[in-house]
Amino acid sequence: MKSKIHERITLKLNLMRKKIIRNTSLLLLAAFASQGNAQTTVSICNGGNAAVTAVNSLNLSSPTYSMNPGGLTSTNATFAVAPAAATSYTLYVTGTNSNSAVVTTSNTVLVYVNGTSYSLSSPQAYTLGCGSKSFCVVSINGANTSPVAGGAVSYTLLIPGGSGIMPTGTLSSLSVYTVNATGVYTVAVRDNVNFCTTQTPFTITQNTAAPNISATVPQQILDCNVPSVQLQGNSSTPNVSYLWSFISTPNYIAANTITINTNSAAPTTTLIDNYTLTVTDLNNACTSTTIIPMYQNTFPPIAAIASNMSPTSCQHTVVLTNQSMTGIPSNSPFPTNLVVAGYLWIPPSPSQSTLALSSTYTAQTSGIYTMTVMDMNNGCTATSTINVNIGPAAAFAHTLTGGQAIFNDMSSNTSNNTTFYWNFGDGNTSTLQNPTHNYLFGGAYFVKLKITKPTGISGIFCTDSVIQSLNVSGVACSANSNFSMVPTGTAQVWNVIPNYPWNISSASWNWGDGSSSNTLYTSHQYSAAGMYNICLSVTVSCGDTSTSCTSYSVYRTTQEAMILEVNVTAPELISGLTSVETNGQLNWSIVPNPNTGEFKLNLNTTEAVRIVISDLAGRIVHTQFIESNSSPTVLAGNLLPGMYLVTLESGNLKTTKRMVIYH
């Protein structure tokens, strides 16, 4: 019993083992079926496509097909793929086998992608510009075969509209192309082994816009006030370059600014230069230009000095006057309405100071004076010079010890050929420059120095004189009242001349006809001819007195002739002063002398003359012009009592007489 049960159990176990083995065989068989055929490979060119097919190796019924990657499912066993790189595709077949089991099998297809890899570059960013950038260069860089690197490649460029026309076979070896028109171009690189070609389109555009440009010009006309200016180029366009070009050296400056200076070598040239500003857009090489003409107004003024000095002038001062005028031509575009001003006067020596901004200058020393003037129209300057000949100015100093006087010449504007003439006021003279003189008698004396200097013109001399008073003490005091009476060139007129009048402080005349005068220099008229005893009583400044009398016969030519007249005159203070009178060139006299400030001048000249009255210190106290051949009355009653010098000037002649005024 026990063995039958064991047999049954054993039989069932064996049946189960057989079923398990059979099912296992089916599973293994299915597993083998799922592996399908061996793996296959397909090669395509980059950008191409391939067909991959699922293999139904077990002849499954009602199969469906799928692919991975891609996730596609279809009843069609073939799929179209276009991978960009090598890709392994797994193809699945799912269906029912003969045992009614659902089974899936698969096979693998490796798709290789052949082609080339490279990059494109363009220095101008694929843009056509101007000038040197009107051509665009495109370069194919780093071309290589793929997936196996190192193969031979060739190149071509397809023009716009021709990208579909691809040459066959091996292409060109050129990898750099130049284009000069806009459009869409295509670069093609081919693997020379499998002839797979990679194409890359690119677009050429155009940018020929000129840069925006302007220029800053602070002042277009330069002058001596503004001799330099800076021009500046401006542009709102980014990434530009600047260039200034012009005719003069160095012809160009590569900068946005330029400094313009006046052309000092050609001050009368109006145009400095034409300055051309060129602005270049560095992105497209397009340019904009503008021309700026620069002008200058640097015409120097015409400097000229006028003076009141004649070639024979002996003035102590000469007035110099600015007579300059603008040098700007009247037909120029520049203004000329402003003055040419005296800017600076420079004297010949430090004895006079410079003077600025003046139209006149008073010259007081001989030499060359320089005047600088400025044209207020343009600020330009010019200089002019004048050689001034100032007449000598007499001056001296003295020291007095007892009766001995030492004189020192201090005259100005003298020369080596200046002559000196001294009158010591006591009838004695000297021609030394620095004399010493001994006075015999005490009292007050008037000492006069006269200097004479050649003008440089033959026969023409300049003279000047000065008088000083000195009081001699410590020597004998003696009065001299002697006098003489001489006829004049005028009928019925005589001159009475004291012999030694220099130190007389008071005097009185007794005319012998019952009348008298209480002054030394006076006049007297006799009503009848006859013998008259004329007496002069004097007191000298040191205190001594003296009286001298002399009888003179005063007569008329006829009874009808004018009343007889006697004038007291002084000996000439300096004998050389009236030398012209002896030549008959300038004869004149003061009537009466002394006077109260009202007197007449007797003249015998055919020219108008100028009378100048000065005191003993050299100060001019009265001037007057008088006509020729006349006997004018001079009114100088406002002058204080004392001794004065009366000088007559006519042409180049100049003579001086002494006159006493009393009240």
Side-chain angles (χ1 to χ4, degrees), residues 595-599 613 621-622 633-641 644 659 661-663:
N595 55 68
T596 60
E598 180 178 348
F599 58 92
I613 302 177
V621 295
H622 182 84
T633 298
V634 179
L635 300 176
N638 61 325
L639 299 180
L640 297 175
Y644 294 87
M659 178 182 71
I661 293 180
Y662 69 94
H663 295 296

Side-chain angles (χ1 to χ4, degrees), residues 216-271:
T216 301
V217 184
Q219 185 166 320
Q220 196 168 7
I221 301 175
L222 305 184
D223 55 24
C224 296
N225 288 319
V226 183
S228 179
V229 73
Q230 187 179 75
L231 309 184
Q232 179 173 314
N234 309 296
S235 178
S236 60
T237 304
N239 195 26
V240 296
S241 66
Y242 297 87
L243 180 69
W244 293 92
S245 56
F246 40 89
I247 296 176
S248 56
T249 305
N251 304 125
Y252 67 92
I253 293 178
N256 71 318
T257 61
I258 183 173
T259 299
I260 310 300
N261 300 304
T262 56
N263 186 356
S264 58
T268 59
T269 298
T270 301
L271 178 67

Side-chain angles (χ1 to χ4, degrees), residues 184-392:
V184 178
Y185 291 79
T186 301
V187 163
V189 179
R190 177 169 291 172
D191 186 328
N192 293 343
V193 174
N194 55 31
F195 297 106
C196 287
T197 303
T198 302
Q199 300 183 43
T200 302
F202 61 91
T203 301
I204 298 295
T205 60
Q206 186 176 49
N207 175 16
T208 55
N212 174 271
I213 184 175
S214 65
T216 301
V217 184
Q219 185 166 320
Q220 196 168 7
I221 301 175
L222 305 184
D223 55 24
C224 296
N225 288 319
V226 183
S228 179
V229 73
Q230 187 179 75
L231 309 184
Q232 179 173 314
N234 309 296
S235 178
S236 60
T237 304
N239 195 26
V240 296
S241 66
Y242 297 87
L243 180 69
W244 293 92
S245 56
F246 40 89
I247 296 176
S248 56
T249 305
N251 304 125
Y252 67 92
I253 293 178
N256 71 318
T257 61
I258 183 173
T259 299
I260 310 300
N261 300 304
T262 56
N263 186 356
S264 58
T268 59
T269 298
T270 301
L271 178 67
I272 300 176
D273 212 329
N274 287 310
Y275 294 86
T276 300
L277 171 63
T278 301
V279 177
T280 302
D281 187 334
L282 298 180
N283 295 313
N284 62 8
C286 295
T287 62
S288 294
T289 62
T290 183
I291 299 176
I292 303 171
M294 292 297 295
Y295 303 95
Q296 67 177 12
N297 176 11
T298 55
F299 292 94
I302 302 171
I305 303 174
S307 75
N308 63 343
M309 177 187 68
S310 67
T312 59
S313 173
C314 296
Q315 306 107 290
H316 291 166
T317 60
V318 173
V319 178
L320 308 178
T321 306
N322 173 26
Q323 294 292 319
S324 305
M325 59 186 297
T326 182
I328 303 173
S330 58
N331 60 351
S332 72
F334 309 127
T336 59
N337 58 310
L338 300 180
V339 300
V340 177
Y343 186 69
L344 182 65
W345 295 86
I346 301 177
S349 66
S351 60
Q352 286 190 255
S353 60
T354 60
L355 180 63
L357 301 178
S358 176
S359 60
T360 61
Y361 188 87
T362 301
Q364 298 176 346
T365 58
S366 296
I368 296 177
Y369 288 76
T370 301
M371 174 191 67
T372 300
V373 295
M374 176 181 289
D375 191 335
M376 305 309 292
N377 294 289
N378 60 9
C380 297
T381 61
T383 60
S384 180
T385 60
I386 185 172
N387 189 4
V388 174
N389 182 25
I390 298 293

Side-chain angles (χ1 to χ4, degrees), residues 362-631:
T362 301
Q364 298 176 346
T365 58
S366 296
I368 296 177
Y369 288 76
T370 301
M371 174 191 67
T372 300
V373 295
M374 176 181 289
D375 191 335
M376 305 309 292
N377 294 289
N378 60 9
C380 297
T381 61
T383 60
S384 180
T385 60
I386 185 172
N387 189 4
V388 174
N389 182 25
I390 298 293
F396 67 91
H398 72 273
T399 58
L400 188 62
T401 305
Q404 186 183 66
I406 300 175
F407 298 96
N408 294 305
D409 170 54
M410 301 185 69
S411 304
S412 59
N413 295 316
T414 60
S415 61
N416 293 334
N417 50 7
T418 299
T419 60
F420 301 85
Y421 189 94
W422 296 83
N423 188 309
F424 300 118
D426 61 354
N428 295 293
T429 62
S430 174
T431 57
L432 298 177
Q433 183 175 2
N434 300 295
T436 298
H437 179 64
N438 293 314
Y439 288 90
L440 299 178
F441 305 109
Y445 296 89
F446 290 100
V447 179
K448 185 170 185 177
L449 167 63
K450 175 186 176 182
I451 58 177
T452 302
K453 175 185 175 182
T455 63
I457 301 175
S458 178
I460 305 299
F461 299 88
C462 288
T463 63
D464 190 49
S465 60
V466 63
I467 294 177
Q468 289 186 16
S469 63
L470 68 160
N471 190 19
V472 178
S473 61
V475 294
C477 181
S478 176
N480 187 333
S481 58
N482 294 326
F483 62 91
S484 59
M485 187 170 180
V486 296
T488 68
T490 303
Q492 314 307 128
V493 177
W494 283 265
N495 284 343
V496 176
I497 304 173
N499 289 353
Y500 200 91
W502 299 285
N503 62 346
I504 294 176
S505 59
S506 63
S508 64
W509 290 93
N510 188 322
W511 300 110
D513 61 353
S515 61
S516 62
S517 301
N518 292 322
T519 183
L520 180 60
Y521 296 102
T522 185
S523 297
H524 181 65
Q525 294 178 341
Y526 287 93
S527 59
M531 181 67 70
Y532 295 95
N533 186 38
I534 302 173
C535 296
L536 171 62
S537 297
V538 301
T539 300
V540 294
S541 55
C542 58
D544 192 26
T545 61
S546 174
T547 300
S548 298
C549 297
T550 303
S551 295
Y552 284 93
S553 178
V554 179
Y555 60 91
R556 299 185 191 182
T557 55
T558 64
Q559 279 299 113
E560 291 77 17
M562 66 176 60
I563 297 175
L564 304 178
E565 183 176 311
V566 175
N567 296 313
V568 181
T569 62
E572 289 299 335
L573 192 60
I574 296 179
S575 60
L577 278 177
T578 56
S579 60
V580 292
E581 294 182 7
T582 61
N583 296 329
Q585 296 180 3
L586 186 59
N587 293 325
W588 61 287
S589 61
I590 303 172
V591 180
N593 188 14
N595 55 68
T596 60
E598 180 178 348
F599 58 92
K600 288 186 177 182
L601 291 178
N602 292 328
L603 299 171
N604 69 334
T605 177
T606 59
E607 298 181 359
V609 297
R610 177 173 178 256
I611 180 173
V612 178
I613 302 177
S614 58
D615 60 19
L616 296 181
R619 295 186 295 268
I620 296 176
V621 295
H622 182 84
T623 60
Q624 184 176 338
F625 284 95
I626 56 180
E627 300 296 330
S628 60
N629 293 323
S630 63
S631 297

Side-chain angles (χ1 to χ4, degrees), residues 114-119 140-155 189-191 196 198:
N114 296 318
T116 57
S117 61
Y118 56 90
S119 64
I140 305 171
N141 308 306
N144 208 343
T145 56
S146 178
V148 180
V153 297
S154 56
Y155 316 89
V189 179
R190 177 169 291 172
D191 186 328
C196 287
T198 302

